[in-house]
Structures are given as structure tokens and as C-alpha cells.
Amino acid sequence: MAILVYADHNNAELSTATLNAVTAANEMGGDVTVLVAGDGCDAVAAAAAKVAGVSKVLVAQDAALKDHLAENVAPLIAGMASGYSHIVAPATTNGKNIMPRAAALLDIQQVSDITEVVSPDTFVRPIYAGNAMATVQSTDAIKMVTVRSTSFDPAAEEGGSAAVEAVGGAADAGLSSFEGAALSDNERPELTTARVVISGGRGMQSGDNFAMLEEVADLLGAAVGASRAAVDAGYVPNDYQVGQTGKVVAPELYIAVGISGAIQHLAGMKDSKVIACINKDEEAPIFQVADLGLVADLFEAVPALKAELEKQGIQAR
Amino acid sequence: MKVLVPVKRVIDYNVKVRVKADQSGVDLANVKMSMNPFDEIAVEQAVRMKEAGTVTEVVAVTLGAEQSQETLRTALAMGADRAIHVVHDGELEPLAVAKMLAKLVEEESPDMVILGKQAIDDDANQTGQILSGLLGWSQGTFVSKVEASDGGVKVTREVDAGLETVALKMPAILTVDLRLNEPRYASLPNIMKARKKEIAKKTPEELGVDTAPRLTIVKVEEPPKRQGGAKVGSVEELVSKLHNDVGVI
């Protein structure tokens, strides 16, 4: 058996979510080939070749592949599918955008966002915002799967020595063109891989007040997230959103500040190792999942938290 | 321009989901059902485009049991002109749904299909992308802004790192995200009017689509429960517990 893993990347760096997908692929059993589709992405291919558990790297470079447009990438994946038992991608926005289109071209029913590999054809995936876990068996000849990154450890970035092979077959479908991106200018750790996440909700009352969370985040080396309510209110950009339809995080410590804890938000953070929360409403559902809940006005508690961390000399690990 | 808007009847987003004791699925008996929230945003987008004069007809579609008609009535009350109901009892996977939608696109010849980015029941996030692949159309997924441009459409997409803008040739498929708009509530007069609007009925057999599932559901279980609920009395105690007892900071 051979497994094809679609690598998510920005033409310069391999995303960590790809490392999680490699781990899931290895659990399915078989030689893992990583496909790096992009343009000017030699460094990504070289990084993929070093990942432990990768036996081959295929690189497709073309201007049409640079921006991960599904219309151009999906036919490339579909064209190389024969010979593989599985096609796997991280459930990032690129993976979610491209994989079902490739599955359509192959007449395969994809299995989305798996959290566990039970056997080569059987996977566990959350449904209903993670309020139920479905074990599903695929009957398709080729299994197409996207992987929830927080459910699998990342494969080691060093230790592999896979051969890198250039492949052709790229073409511009002529259906879409990339116009530009407005990416968050964020020096903090990435939300989905941070060891500590501090998130704010509607209780923050404004975007400016997120500065309080950022100060605590800087002390702890944490990423800053938000509930849907805070994003909808325009306090912070969309890429901060943690939840059922936003990002799924599972840090060592998740601190929820001014977040009531709707099931849609819990879906994105309830696998965190430790959950702490600060909320003045002691009836808020967030307290039911929090290991350490503090009933307090966040406008007093968050500055006090910063002061206490400084007093104790607690620093980012 | 004509727009097709597929909508799905799902368990209401406020309902606490219960897994059946026999692990065959989720208990949907006597549970409040509503239109998938992302599909409401899709209907709203189509209706706004009609109100702005860029769209001439909005056709709502659903695939599901007899009761799914209620969801179509909601779409009609929001402003869709007419509806198509593909009647089918039991689960439908995204691939089968997209295949039936592709047949309806052949029959109806819309210029655009607008869908929710995912349904909050199976959380698959696939149907729009599959439909685009089957039709060979352009796709704009996770859309938070739509603008007309040069005979095509320019969309802003919510992606992991922020926002990106993509220009799509027509015909196009859009899957919509939360920030695109705030869906309206249907007014009573519009709910009354919607009762008189046409709902055409079809079956998967008439569309010639095999709906046999490709995935076998082995079991559906409750997720592990978190043992939460412990409280601390002060910020000092919180920091002390996190630092000394739990050791995460």
C-alpha cells in the first residue's frame, strides 16, 4: 500500500498540520509519499523529505499551483491517485477547499476531519460539533481523508531522507485567479499549535480590550484566540475564531476570558489538557468544562493575572 | 442571472444532541429542527442579490424527507421565488447530494449556486466543493464578501491565516461563511405568501442518481466527558494551581 499526503504550505514553509497528517497516514499503514504542489517551493520539498516516516516527495511546481487554487490542484491530485490506497490531507482551509473537489473527480466519498485511525479503512470523526463521535468505514477503493491536526502528534521534522522527484501534469484550469491576501500580522505562536491559548469573548467589549489578553499572552508565550461573538462584533479578525466552524485547538492550557461557552465554541477547545476560565456570570456554561473557573470581572482579573504572573516570575516555556 | 440555493434541514443549533443507546446515530425524535445556519446565510445572499437587481430568480432546493418541505418554506418566506424538493428518506452523503444537485443544475441552468460552507449535523464541509468538481465550475469557498467584477465575481475567503481574495469566472459555486451577512427573519406576510409559492417534487430515481452510501456507520458514541466545574477564589489561587499543582505554566 502507498499513501499520498497532500502537503499544506505557503511555498516557503511546510505547515505543521502536514506533520500531523503524516502521522495519521503512517497509522493507516503503507509507504507515505508527500505531494508538494506550489511554485518556487523547493525549500518545502526539502523540508518534507526530512520528515520522519516519509519515503518519497513529489514536487509539482507551476505558476498555476502557487496559490493553492482548488480548480488547479484538484485535477493534479486526481491524476496521480491510481496506485495509492489512501489520499490524505490536513483539514486546514486549503485541505478542506481542495480535497472534496479531487474526490469528486475520482467519484470518492471523502471522510472529513478524522480524529482517529481505527484500521486502514475505518476512522473516527466528530459530528454535531463534537457532541457525537462517529466511527465510519469507507467502502471506496481509494480512501480520501482529511485529518484534524490536534488529534495526531506531529511527525518528527528530522530523521527522514526521502527522495525528491519532480512531477508534471500541472495546468491552469482558467476558472479562477488569486487576487491577493490580507493575512494577520501576528508575531505570536500559531493558534492551532500553541502550548497555551488565551481567548476572549463578547465580554471583552471591544477590540482595544484584547490588548489585556495580549499582555498575558506575551508573558506565557501564548496565542490569542476568540469566540465567534468577538469576531462577529469586529473585535478581532476571523482567523482568531476557535470553534466548530473556526479553528480547533488542543493546547496544554486554554484560558477562556469573557466567553460564555456555547457548544459551538466548546467544539473547538474541549480537548485542551487544562481549561481555565474567567467570567463574571457563574451560571455560564464554560464553568462546566473548566478545570479551574474564576468568577470575577475580567477587567479586574486579567490585569491582576498579569501582575501575579510577573510577581511570581512565571515566563513562557 | 439565476441562482440555485441548496438548503438542509438539521437539528437546531441550540439543541443538546443525544446519542442513541444502540449507538446507531443521534436521536432526532421530537427534536427541534431548523434550516442549517450557513444555508440561511446563503439564502440571504441570494435574496440580497435579487433585491440589488443582479439576480432575477432564486430557486431553493432541498434533498430529504417529507418534513424538509418546512425548510423550503422558510427559504421561500425569506425571498426565494420557487423551490425544488428531492424527496428521500434516510441519510444522504455529500457525494450523492452533489450528484443530484449537478442534475438539477443541468435542468435549471443557473449561473451560480450558493451553499452554506458546512452543515452543522455531519460537519463534512464538502458539498459545494464536490459540486464544483462534478460541474467543472469555479469555486469560492468560506466566503465573507461577494463583489461583481468583469463579468465574473470576486470573493473574499476566510482562510487559516486571514483573508484572501479570488476572482471567479462564471458560472460559479460559492460556499458561504458566517461573516457574509446576517440573515433576516421572515415577516408574517412573507410567510403567508410563501405558502402559495411553488414547490416541485422529484425523486433521486428521476434524477438517475445512486444514493447508496459509500461510508458504513460502524457506531456513534458520546465523546468522553470532561470533569470540569472546579472553582478558584482568586487570581492568586488560579496562578498557584496552574503553576504548582497542574504545572502547565
Side-chain angles (χ1 to χ4, degrees):
Chain A
M1 285 205 313
I3 299 175
L4 186 68
V5 174
Y6 171 77
D8 196 4
H9 63 88
N10 61 2
N11 292 306
E13 286 178 16
L14 188 66
S15 78
T16 48
T18 306
L19 303 175
N20 307 105
V22 166
T23 299
N26 274 304
E27 288 182 18
M28 293 167 202
D31 290 339
V32 171
T33 297
V34 172
L35 168 65
V36 177
D39 197 25
C41 55
D42 290 314
V44 178
K50 282 193 211 139
V51 173
V54 173
S55 46
K56 197 201 257 182
V57 175
L58 302 176
V59 201
Q61 304 210 56
D62 192 291
L65 301 175
K66 179 167 180 270
D67 302 305
H68 311 285
L69 294 169
E71 296 88 338
N72 299 345
V73 181
L76 180 76
I77 294 174
M80 57 176 60
S82 65
Y84 293 101
S85 58
H86 298 73
I87 304 175
V88 176
T92 55
T93 42
N94 278 332
K96 288 173 181 173
N97 187 37
I98 293 165
M99 280 284 277
R101 189 175 179 110
L105 302 177
L106 295 164
D107 193 30
I108 291 169
Q109 175 58 60
Q110 176 191 304
V111 183
S112 292
D113 213 15
I114 65 159
T115 56
E116 192 185 327
V117 177
V118 177
S119 73
D121 65 359
T122 306
F123 313 97
V124 178
R125 59 178 303 266
I127 54 175
Y128 293 91
N131 288 300
M133 303 301 287
T135 303
V136 298
Q137 183 175 25
S138 166
T139 59
D140 282 314
I142 302 173
K143 322 300 177 201
M144 291 190 76
V145 173
T146 62
V147 173
R148 177 172 287 205
S149 60
T150 52
S151 298
F152 297 88
D153 291 331
E157 287 180 74
E158 302 284 339
S161 56
V164 178
E165 190 182 306
V167 291
D172 189 344
L175 296 172
S176 56
S177 56
F178 182 81
E179 300 263 303
L183 305 183
S184 278
D185 183 20
N186 202 331
E187 297 290 305
R188 290 195 182 75
E190 198 198 326
L191 196 50
T192 51
T193 52
R195 208 185 65 81
V196 179
V197 172
I198 181 164
S199 289
R202 197 194 301 275
M204 296 304 297
Q205 293 183 12
S206 79
D208 290 343
N209 289 334
F210 267 75
M212 291 194 303
L213 302 188
E214 288 164 4
E215 288 170 13
V216 174
D218 288 342
L219 288 174
L220 294 174
V224 178
S227 69
R228 177 192 170 182
V231 178
D232 281 0
Y235 301 168
V236 286
N238 63 282
D239 51 293
Y240 281 52
Q241 187 179 327
V242 171
Q244 179 184 15
T245 65
K247 285 180 180 160
V248 177
V249 302
E252 297 275 305
L253 171 62
Y254 187 89
I255 309 174
V257 181
I259 291 177
S260 63
I263 53 172
Q264 290 80 10
H265 184 73
L266 302 184
M269 46 65 86
K270 68 184 168 62
D271 291 332
S272 305
K273 196 167 156 210
V274 177
I275 296 173
C277 73
I278 299 171
N279 201 303
K280 67 179 174 189
D281 174 13
E282 65 178 310
E283 301 297 318
I286 191 76
F287 284 105
Q288 290 162 23
V289 299
D291 304 291
L292 296 165
L294 176 63
V295 181
D297 182 344
L298 71 92
F299 293 99
E300 289 165 19
V302 176
L305 175 61
K306 185 192 166 207
E308 183 67 14
L309 291 170
E310 284 172 338
K311 189 176 144 199
Q312 301 288 336
I314 293 168
Q315 289 174 341
R317 285 191 196 159
Chain B
M1 184 163 89
K2 180 168 163 183
V3 176
L4 204 67
V5 187
V7 294
K8 185 177 187 182
R9 181 175 185 263
V10 298
I11 196 163
D12 187 84
Y13 76 101
N14 267 321
V15 169
K16 175 96 181 73
V17 170
R18 248 179 248 111
V19 171
K20 284 188 197 166
D22 66 0
Q23 298 194 329
S24 63
V26 159
D27 194 357
L28 296 178
N30 304 313
V31 166
K32 187 186 178 198
M33 305 291 281
S34 301
M35 188 190 295
N36 178 40
F38 288 93
D39 301 348
E40 288 185 330
I41 297 170
V43 174
E44 178 67 31
Q45 175 62 26
V47 171
R48 285 190 193 185
M49 287 164 77
K50 190 181 175 195
E51 287 166 349
T54 51
V55 164
T56 49
E57 190 182 27
V58 177
V59 182
V61 180
T62 201
L63 308 95
E66 198 57 46
Q67 304 93 305
S68 303
Q69 203 185 120
E70 294 163 20
T71 309
L72 287 178
R73 290 288 170 207
T74 305
L76 292 168
M78 288 175 73
D81 296 291
R82 60 186 173 87
I84 302 169
H85 183 181
V86 180
V87 184
H88 176 85
D89 283 318
E91 286 288 311
L92 285 172
E93 291 173 352
L95 181 61
V97 169
K99 284 180 179 176
M100 288 189 269
L101 292 175
K103 293 284 182 190
L104 292 172
V105 166
E106 274 175 32
E107 289 179 11
E108 293 282 335
S109 309
D111 305 280
M112 189 183 276
V113 182
I114 308 180
L115 311 86
K117 79 162 178 179
Q118 88 188 54
I120 61 164
D121 52 1
D122 65 11
D123 282 331
N125 194 333
Q126 295 181 11
T127 304
Q129 297 90 311
I130 299 173
L131 182 60
S132 311
L134 294 175
L135 295 170
W137 287 15
S138 62
Q139 73 182 55
T141 51
F142 328 142
V143 166
S144 64
K145 193 175 173 193
V146 181
E147 298 159 278
S149 83
D150 291 341
V153 62
K154 199 159 93 174
V155 296
T156 302
R157 307 179 54 230
E158 295 200 353
V159 295
D160 288 334
L163 298 169
E164 69 177 45
T165 310
V166 177
L168 305 175
K169 284 205 177 139
M170 303 297 278
I173 309 276
L174 306 188
T175 82
V176 301
D177 218 318
L178 295 168
R179 254 70 64 180
L180 180 61
N181 61 48
E182 209 165 305
R184 71 194 65 192
Y185 290 101
S187 66
L188 191 58
N190 284 342
I191 291 170
M192 302 302 284
K193 256 193 266 171
R195 289 190 188 163
K196 297 197 185 94
K197 288 181 182 174
E198 177 207 335
I199 297 182
K201 292 209 175 183
K202 292 186 181 290
T203 64
E205 294 71 33
E206 284 166 13
L207 295 174
V209 172
D210 175 12
T211 59
R214 305 286 188 88
L215 305 179
T216 310
I217 297 181
V218 179
K219 59 181 172 182
V220 175
E221 298 167 290
E222 297 258 357
K225 282 262 179 301
R226 272 196 89 94
Q227 291 297 327
K231 294 218 172 75
V232 290
S234 68
V235 167
E236 290 74 19
E237 191 188 342
L238 176 64
V239 171
S240 165
K241 287 229 158 109
L242 288 174
H243 186 51
N244 302 318
D245 300 353
V246 196
V248 288
I249 59 171

